[in-house]
Amino acid sequence: MEEFKGAKAFLMIPVGIARDKDLLNNTKAILLMGEILSMLNVTGEFFMSNSQLAKRLKTTPRTIKRYLILLEKKGLVKRTNVYADKDQKVVIGRKITV
């Protein structure tokens, strides 16, 4: 899998997201959505951890989690846990789709 080092030219932020009144009160949530869309465009999947995202956006993993919840409630992203086995006992990651 290709290592994603971040968008090089621009973040992909649709106008509807950039102008959303709820997201404008949480502007880094807009940047987070841009990171998600940019990574999906380059690699086809989103695999960056909350800690990595927090470093990139100069915030905390807890804040990233709050932004992801907001984006999910607005129907912009869907988070799905990835499990280590078929019995679904051990979560090894998560998948984010739009």
Side-chain angles (χ1 to χ4, degrees), residues 4 15-18 23 57 67 72 77 79-80 83-85 87:
F4 183 73
V15 173
I17 292 171
L23 296 178
L57 297 178
Y67 291 156
E72 194 166 37
V77 299
R79 296 176 295 160
T80 307
Y83 296 95
D85 59 26
D87 296 326

Side-chain angles (χ1 to χ4, degrees), residues 1 19 21-22 24 28-29 31 39 42 55 70 72-73 79 84 92-93:
M1 179 182 313
R19 295 182 183 158
K21 65 178 181 163
D22 298 323
L24 284 170
K28 287 189 179 181
L31 295 177
M39 181 184 263
V42 171
K55 287 178 187 174
L70 174 62
E72 194 166 37
K73 283 182 180 178
R79 296 176 295 160
I92 59 170

Side-chain angles (χ1 to χ4, degrees), residues 56-73:
R56 185 175 296 256
L57 297 178
K58 308 286 190 255
T59 191
T60 65
R62 184 177 182 167
T63 300
I64 294 297
K65 183 177 179 180
R66 186 171 53 84
Y67 291 156
L68 287 169
I69 290 168
L70 174 62
L71 294 171
E72 194 166 37
K73 283 182 180 178

Side-chain angles (χ1 to χ4, degrees), residues 33-51:
M33 191 68 199
E35 291 284 353
I36 292 168
L37 290 170
S38 295
M39 181 184 263
L40 288 171
N41 188 49
V42 171
T43 66
E45 58 184 331
F46 188 86
F47 50 81
M48 196 177 294
S49 71
N50 288 359
S51 294

